[in-house]
């Protein structure tokens, strides 16, 4: 069996696992590469109350079921971290930390995102010694202690509430005016009612202090400019997420924050490369939307692979020269051209094969030959040698050309 | 190489009685960063068979051990030599940092 994969999926969170299920089910040679926990961010979520059909599932349960499902359909799940990718050829190459190379026809990027750092003094230094980004992992260590939570979105407020199970007091530092939280209303109401929770409004943390472990934070009020010190044993930081797309810089188009922009087919700027889940520019980052993206990306990749395959069979292995006509159902001019072309080919005794390419459905072949305009006609002499006819007199020119060459 | 799991009793034996230079990683199952750090240690362990001990403590199963060191989170890697505490590394780590520390502890 060939060592070339059909689809390699980078990241084994909900988006990657869902893509793996669809890829495996379509009998494509599919691998998922995951550097950490299979199940991704969702595997560290204690309660999952909004995934349709599973009212009370936990993140680990749900994602384990997804992983088993993908494996049952024949998808490999390998522990490894992708360090670099080469997207230049039709066969793309993925290089991993363990020194492996994967060759693949299509790639689905499902690397999700990571907690954003505050980048303030003390944050790096005390990571693991009082600075944390994961309440599930670390809240227990703060039994009876005072904890500061930075942030006010869903994650910040929900995690703050979880920490109150252990800590004696939780102080939430909020950048907005008094009473304003970015989280959902229900969580906000619960937090306001929780008597272990206190808020410091209109403020930011500017420094984390300590010796061997965190002992306090410096807080600045943005309105008054007043700076105060607050004693605390731990700081949990929930100030949003950043996509893990550093290794894709300059290779795949991304927005200024590093999220990958793609269309409804989950296609990125590179043909054969798809993105799914939290890593792409989108409105809602949840498990339910991640699995939808994964399904779409895998099916789009499957189509792309099939297109490539049939292109290779019909075009590259043809015994006659090939005439490729790029058309689009909404461009009347291109429809007219098709019927003229058919006649031209017949006039030349069917010595060439006419292939019609619907640009509204297939982009890969057009990209391969740098065709952006409809109609365009290509005469293919050899594998990489071709002549372009795309101006107003193209039929007359083509006719003359065929007379000379056939 | 899978790391040897310790409980309160085997912890005493390995760390204090045997006293070989070693590290102990405190970890838990559903922690994302742990899931990156532990495989890295498993790999590094291959290079130190017989010369440096690599151990694992599940903090959910062994919460007393965890509390004893007043740790503030997982993953935490604690280093020992001759039963004496030699320092720790916490959070997300590159392999190089760990190897550096291992060498430091081995040199004494
Ligand atoms: C505290 C919290 C609570 C949440 N609660 C809910 C909830 O109740 N309901 C809900 O629907 N959603 C919830 N979410 C959101 C949900 O977790 C995400 O939307 C979902 O996990 C996104 O899935 P994903 O597959 O896109 O990315 P992720 O789950 O982030 O998975 C990406 C995976 O890719 C891996 N990876 C990254 N880079 C590489 C690389 N270079 N090589 C190999 N692997 C790599 C990572 O290790 C990770 O496992 C919550 C999120 C947080 C932070």
């Amino acid at each position: 069996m060939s060592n070339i994969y059909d689809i390699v999926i980078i990241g084994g969170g909900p988006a990657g696992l869902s893509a793996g299920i669809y890829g495996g089910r379509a009998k494509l040679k599919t691998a998922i590469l995951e550097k950490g926990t299979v199940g991704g961010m969702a595997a560290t979520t204690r309660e999952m109350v909004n995934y349709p059909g599973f009212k009370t599932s936990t993140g680990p349960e749900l994602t384990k079921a997804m992983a088993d499902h993908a494996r049952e359909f024949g998808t490999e799940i390998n522990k490894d971290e992708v360090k670099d990718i080469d997207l230049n050829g039709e066969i793309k190459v993925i290089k991993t930390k363990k020194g492996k190379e994967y060759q693949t026809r299509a790639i689905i990027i499902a690397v999700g995102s990571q907690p954003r750092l505050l980048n303030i003094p003390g944050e790096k230094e005390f990571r693991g010694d009082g600075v944390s980004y994961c309440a599930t992992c670390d809240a227990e260590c703060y039994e009876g202690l005072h904890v500061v939570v930075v942030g006010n979105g869903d994650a910040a407020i929900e995690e703050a509430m979880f920490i109150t199970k252990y800590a004696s007091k939780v102080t939430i530092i909020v950048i907005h005016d008094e009473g304003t939280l970015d989280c959902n209303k229900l969580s906000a109401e619960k937090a306001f009612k929780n008597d272990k929770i206190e808020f410091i409004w209109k403020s930011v943390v500017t420094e984390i202090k300590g010796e061997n472990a965190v002992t306090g934070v410096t807080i600045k009020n943005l309105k008054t400019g007043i700076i105060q010190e607050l004693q605390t044993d731990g700081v949990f930081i929930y100030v949003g997420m950043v996509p893990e797309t550093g290794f894709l810089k300059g290779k795949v188009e991304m927005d200024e924050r590093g999220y990958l922009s793609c269309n409804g087919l989950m296609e990125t700027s590179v043909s054969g490369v798809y993105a799914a889940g939290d890593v792409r520019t989108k409105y809602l980052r949840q498990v339910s939307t991640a699995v939808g993206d994964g399904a779409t990306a895998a099916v789009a990749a499957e189509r792309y692979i099939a297109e490539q395959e049939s292109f290779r069979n019909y075009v590259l292995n043809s015994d006659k020269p090939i005439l490729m006509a790029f058309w689009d159902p909404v461009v009347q001019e291109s429809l007219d051209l098709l019927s003229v072309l058919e006649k031209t080919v017949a006039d030349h005794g069917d010595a060439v094969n006419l292939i019609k390419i619907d640009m509204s459905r297939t982009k890969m072949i057009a990209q391969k030959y740098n065709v952006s305009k409809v109609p365009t006609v290509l005469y293919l002499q050899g594998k990489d040698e071709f002549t372009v006819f795309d101006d107003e007199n193209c039929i007359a020119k083509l006719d003359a050309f065929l007379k000379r060459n056939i | 190489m899978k790391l040897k799991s310790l409980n309160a009793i085997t912890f005493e034996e390995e760390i204090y009685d045997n006293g070989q230079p070693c590290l102990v990683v405190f970890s838990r199952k559903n922690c994302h960063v742990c899931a990156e750090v532990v495989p890295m240690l498993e790999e590094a362990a291959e290079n130190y068979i017989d010369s440096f001990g690599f151990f694992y403590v599940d903090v959910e199963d062994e919460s007393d051990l965890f509390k004893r060191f007043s740790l503030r989170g997982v993953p935490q890697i604690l280093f020992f030599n001759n039963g004496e505490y030699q320092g720790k590394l916490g959070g997300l780590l590159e392999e190089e940092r760990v190897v550096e520390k291992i060498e430091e502890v081995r040199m004494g």
Side-chain angles (χ1 to χ4, degrees):
Chain A
M1 199 172 158
S2 149
N3 277 329
I4 297 176
Y5 285 82
D6 292 311
I7 305 180
V8 172
I9 299 159
I10 310 176
L17 293 171
S18 165
I21 290 169
Y22 277 76
R25 175 83 175 146
K27 296 267 174 274
L28 298 172
K29 188 173 160 66
T30 308
I32 298 174
L33 307 181
E34 168 57 57
K35 71 174 158 115
T37 331
V38 174
M41 191 72 75
T44 58
T45 310
R46 289 172 308 276
E47 272 177 55
M48 189 79 66
V49 292
N50 49 12
Y51 190 73
F54 295 82
K55 226 170 98 190
T56 54
S57 188
T58 65
E61 258 169 31
L62 191 65
T63 52
K64 181 174 184 304
M66 289 181 193
D68 291 344
H69 194 166
R71 283 196 192 95
E72 262 167 49
F73 283 150
T75 293
E76 291 171 25
I77 303 181
N78 299 338
K79 262 253 157 94
D80 208 344
E81 177 174 353
V82 173
K83 283 290 189 190
D84 194 18
I85 60 179
D86 179 352
L87 304 177
N88 290 325
E90 260 180 45
I91 301 292
K92 301 161 191 359
V93 184
I94 293 178
K95 296 196 178 104
T96 71
K97 191 172 175 187
K98 289 187 183 164
K100 272 201 164 172
E101 272 196 19
Y102 289 81
Q103 296 192 314
T104 181
R105 292 179 223 283
I107 294 178
I108 298 175
I109 300 165
V111 295
S113 51
Q114 282 231 320
R116 190 167 77 79
L117 305 185
L118 282 175
N119 283 321
I120 54 172
E123 183 179 20
K124 274 223 176 82
E125 195 185 337
F126 294 113
R127 185 169 185 165
D129 285 318
V131 173
S132 176
Y133 305 85
C134 176
T136 313
C137 311
D138 301 335
E140 255 176 74
C141 308
Y142 296 89
E143 188 85 54
L145 300 176
H146 175 214
V147 168
V148 162
V149 169
V150 188
N152 65 101
D154 283 338
I157 303 303
E158 281 163 23
E159 298 304 86
M161 247 138 25
F162 175 72
I163 299 166
T164 60
K165 282 193 183 174
Y166 304 95
S168 57
K169 188 173 126 190
V170 174
T171 305
I172 305 180
I173 314 297
V174 184
I175 197 167
H176 304 304
D177 286 327
E178 176 150 6
T180 311
L181 297 176
D182 290 335
C183 68
N184 64 74
K185 279 215 179 80
L186 193 71
S187 296
E189 272 166 31
K190 278 195 192 161
F192 289 138
K193 279 193 198 129
N194 190 321
D195 33 295
K196 277 191 176 178
I197 292 182
E198 279 180 17
F199 292 90
I200 295 184
W201 303 100
K202 199 77 190 161
S203 297
V204 292
V205 173
T206 55
E207 187 176 350
I208 298 170
K209 294 186 160 166
E211 270 172 46
N212 297 318
V214 170
T215 55
V217 289
T218 308
I219 294 167
K220 182 177 177 187
N221 185 307
L222 295 177
K223 210 177 203 163
T224 60
I226 291 173
I227 288 174
Q228 60 161 317
E229 305 281 328
L230 187 67
Q231 280 194 4
T232 183
D233 304 290
V235 185
F236 283 77
I237 300 172
Y238 287 100
V239 290
M241 310 289 289
V242 284
E244 293 193 73
T245 49
F247 70 105
L248 299 169
K249 283 241 163 70
K251 298 183 174 170
V252 182
E253 249 170 54
M254 48 185 83
D255 68 15
E256 67 285 353
R257 291 183 302 164
Y259 288 104
L260 305 183
S261 349
C262 36
N263 61 14
L265 295 183
M266 305 299 138
E267 292 171 325
T268 65
S269 58
V270 181
S271 82
V273 180
Y274 302 80
D278 282 6
V279 72
R280 71 182 194 90
T281 311
K282 68 196 285 198
Y283 177 66
L284 179 67
R285 293 197 171 85
Q286 288 276 288
V287 176
S288 53
T289 63
V291 298
D293 287 357
T296 305
V299 172
E302 180 193 352
R303 289 244 178 99
Y304 161 84
I305 292 164
E307 263 170 27
Q308 262 197 329
E309 187 77 23
S310 64
F311 180 75
R312 211 173 296 117
N313 288 344
Y314 295 120
V315 179
L316 300 181
N317 300 332
S318 165
D319 50 351
K320 296 182 202 170
I322 297 277
L323 212 49
M324 260 192 270
F326 293 86
W327 67 288
D328 190 313
V330 301
V331 181
Q332 184 58 41
E333 192 196 346
S334 73
L335 296 172
D336 298 342
L337 187 87
L338 283 186
S339 47
V340 181
L341 269 179
E342 275 166 18
K343 191 170 167 298
T344 311
V345 169
D347 288 348
H348 287 277
D350 288 314
V352 295
N353 268 340
L354 176 62
I355 291 181
K356 303 166 198 166
I357 293 159
D358 179 349
M359 289 267 275
S360 68
R361 297 193 48 219
T362 341
K363 296 211 177 57
M364 192 267 293
I365 300 167
Q367 267 169 14
K368 185 177 161 88
Y369 292 98
N370 263 327
V371 172
S372 54
K373 181 174 148 207
V374 174
T376 295
V377 181
L378 292 186
Y379 178 85
L380 228 65
Q381 280 104 326
K383 197 164 165 284
D384 293 314
E385 202 181 325
F386 54 91
T387 312
V388 182
F389 302 90
D390 63 354
D391 58 11
E392 278 157 34
N393 301 321
C394 71
I395 288 292
K397 285 187 187 161
L398 179 66
D399 196 46
F401 179 87
L402 292 179
K403 283 206 176 95
R404 258 183 284 126
N405 285 279
I406 294 167
Chain B
M1 192 173 87
K2 212 152 163 46
L3 307 184
K4 185 174 173 191
S5 253
L6 298 180
N7 58 31
I9 296 163
T10 50
F11 189 89
E12 294 290 328
E13 287 169 5
E14 292 287 358
I15 309 306
Y16 300 116
D17 299 348
N18 289 351
Q20 131 192 68
C22 64
L23 64 79
V24 186
V25 58
F26 287 75
S27 174
R28 62 193 294 146
K29 287 175 214 83
N30 62 352
C31 144
H32 204 78
V33 175
C34 305
E36 278 182 54
V37 170
V38 172
M40 180 261 284
L41 293 177
E42 287 174 344
E43 242 167 77
E46 311 273 352
N47 305 327
Y48 291 96
I49 300 169
D50 295 334
S51 64
F52 200 87
F54 283 72
F55 302 104
Y56 178 96
V57 171
D58 184 309
V59 302
E60 281 168 284
D61 299 344
E62 303 297 332
S63 60
D64 288 345
L65 259 182
F66 188 41
K67 285 193 187 123
R68 193 158 110 199
F69 291 97
S70 12
L71 300 175
R72 294 278 184 85
V74 283
Q76 291 279 355
I77 308 173
L78 273 57
F79 294 83
F80 297 90
N81 196 359
N82 289 321
E84 271 172 45
Y85 173 69
Q86 305 285 327
K88 66 178 178 188
L89 295 170
L92 188 62
L93 286 169
E94 289 293 320
E95 189 171 342
E96 292 73 45
R97 278 281 305 282
V98 179
V99 170
E100 222 171 79
K101 184 76 191 168
I102 289 175
E103 292 307 330
E104 187 190 310
V105 172
R106 280 177 66 192
M107 295 309 145

